């Protein structure tokens, strides 16, 4: 008799026991030293060039994610044109020029304020310091030295994590939303009517005073924060908000090396965020 059949009467009396036992076993396996730490967190960040779950374009040096198959969307279009001219794929990949990423594959943090997100990935400055640098350049012109300017800047406190439940990013304003979710919030008609006072920086933050947040319906805003989905990032799988057993099963399943590496890599390529 199989062990599960032998124990079935116990499970019948306590229907939640089977789920709890599975979760306990998986939790022990996931916390074991031999378990790949990449899959241990609720946000899995798969490194570039992963042997199984490779997500980046196969063109050497290309920083963009695959857009179907093993090429990014731009290289896929170029490959289609090259194929019509009779060029083989291996020759195309060897000759193709790598492309830079549209943006960082992770949230960039301000180089001056570690608790604030960077508004521009090239300078890595928060909104406040970006505006200060812009003003400095207008005043100094060509004599403006970025490194020297950075060394004299004040560190400002952040606004905490994004209030969207599943989001791991930093908030970009006293409203409590990261830049991406703030854009989603506006696009969806601002449920609950959360808003900041006019000229809030000059009236409040500039003087070190807390910035009040107004609501038409605060519960509607909080409900939107609970329902809103994660923002997609290449090579990242977000498991926040899932039931513990479902999360553990996905973590364990991702850590098990498939018997057909090529097929696994192709499957992962389209998975950027969940």
């Amino acid at each position: 008799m199989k062990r599960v059949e032998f124990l079935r009467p116990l499970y019948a009396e306590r229907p939640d026991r089977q789920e709890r036992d599975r979760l306990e076993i998986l939790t022990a396996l996931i916390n074991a030293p031999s378990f790949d730490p990449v899959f241990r967190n609720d946000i899995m960040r798969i490194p570039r060039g992963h042997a199984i779950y490779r997500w980046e374009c196969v063109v050497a040096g290309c920083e963009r994610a695959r857009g179907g198959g093993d090429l990014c969307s731009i290289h896929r279009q170029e490959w289609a044109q090259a194929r019509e001219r009779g060029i083989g794929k291996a020759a195309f990949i060897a000759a193709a020029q790598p492309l830079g990423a549209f943006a960082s594959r992770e949230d960039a943090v301000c180089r001056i304020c570690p608790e604030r997100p960077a508004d521009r990935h090239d300078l890595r400055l928060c909104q406040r310091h970006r505006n200060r640098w812009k003003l400095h350049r207008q005043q100094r012109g060509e004599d403006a030295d970025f490194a020297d300017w950075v060394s004299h800047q004040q560190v400002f406190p952040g606004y905490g994590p994004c209030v969207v439940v599943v989001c791991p990013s930093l908030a970009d304003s006293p409203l409590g939303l990261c830049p991406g979710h703030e854009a989603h919030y506006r696009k969806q008609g601002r449920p609950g009517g959360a808003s900041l006072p006019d000229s809030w920086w000059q009236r409040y933050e500039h003087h070190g005073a807390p910035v009040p947040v107004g609501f038409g319906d605060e519960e509607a805003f909080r409900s939107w924060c609970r329902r809103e989905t994660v923002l997609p990032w290449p090579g990242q799988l977000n498991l926040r908000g899932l039931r513990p057993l479902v999360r553990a099963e996905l973590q364990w399943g991702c850590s098990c090396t498939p018997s057909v590496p090529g097929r696994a890599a192709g499957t992962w390529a389209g998975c950027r965020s969940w």
Side-chain angles (χ1 to χ4, degrees):
M1 180 182 295
K2 294 182 179 180
R3 187 172 185 271
V4 66
E5 296 294 334
F6 180 77
L7 296 176
R8 190 174 297 280
L10 296 177
Y11 292 133
E13 294 176 4
R14 300 177 60 183
D16 63 328
R17 177 167 179 169
Q18 184 175 7
E19 181 173 331
R20 291 209 322 271
D21 286 353
R22 289 169 62 191
L23 178 58
E24 289 175 1
I25 293 172
L26 286 172
T27 300
L29 291 170
I30 290 170
N31 290 329
S34 58
F35 188 85
D36 190 340
V38 167
F39 306 106
R40 187 172 288 144
N41 298 323
D42 57 0
I43 298 179
M44 303 179 194
R45 294 184 173 89
I46 308 301
R48 187 183 299 274
H50 193 276
I52 302 299
Y53 300 121
R54 183 171 180 174
W55 54 266
E56 75 275 13
C57 178
V58 294
V59 172
C62 185
E63 298 180 7
R64 300 192 181 185
R66 300 180 182 190
D70 55 4
L71 297 169
C72 66
S73 59
I74 300 299
H75 282 130
R76 191 172 71 250
Q77 295 173 13
E78 294 178 352
W79 157 234
Q81 297 170 359
R83 184 171 51 190
E84 293 178 355
R85 300 194 301 270
I87 300 175
K89 190 171 184 179
F92 166 78
I93 292 176
Q97 295 299 310
L99 300 172
F102 289 113
S104 171
R105 60 176 291 251
E106 295 182 0
D107 288 329
V109 177
C110 176
R111 67 173 70 236
I112 300 169
C113 307
E115 297 179 355
R116 294 195 178 196
D119 184 57
R120 294 181 60 184
H121 291 263
D122 54 346
L123 295 178
R124 269 190 46 226
L125 296 175
C126 62
Q127 288 192 53
R128 186 166 180 180
H129 280 113
R130 182 200 62 179
N131 292 332
R132 290 167 70 94
W133 167 243
K134 182 178 179 180
L135 178 61
H136 181 75
R137 287 194 63 185
Q138 291 174 350
Q139 295 172 343
R140 296 294 184 90
E142 295 298 328
D143 294 332
D145 183 278
F146 183 72
D148 180 68
W149 174 83
V150 167
S151 67
H152 292 88
Q153 294 307 298
Q154 174 186 354
V155 177
F156 300 114
Y159 305 108
C162 179
V163 292
V164 170
V165 174
V166 296
C167 183
S169 302
L170 294 172
D172 196 35
S173 75
L175 195 63
L177 297 173
C178 68
H181 278 120
E182 187 164 355
H184 281 205
Y185 185 62
R186 292 195 300 268
K187 186 176 181 179
Q188 295 177 37
R190 308 184 69 86
S195 62
L196 298 174
D198 293 336
S199 304
W200 59 268
W201 184 84
Q202 291 87 347
R203 295 169 56 192
Y204 296 95
E205 184 169 299
H206 181 65
H207 301 288
V211 181
V213 180
F215 299 96
D217 184 340
E218 184 173 358
E219 179 52 36
F221 173 71
R222 301 300 175 191
S223 178
W224 178 85
C225 293
R226 291 191 294 269
R227 298 191 316 269
E228 178 64 6
T229 57
V230 298
L231 300 174
W233 292 99
Q236 179 172 293
L237 186 64
N238 190 325
L239 305 182
R240 288 188 174 183
L242 294 178
R243 294 177 58 188
L245 179 57
V246 175
R247 182 174 63 246
E249 287 176 336
L250 285 170
Q251 290 171 314
W252 177 251
C254 286
S255 72
C256 297
T257 303
S259 57
V260 186
R263 183 168 59 192
T267 303
W268 178 266
C271 184
R272 300 188 182 184
S273 180
W274 196 342

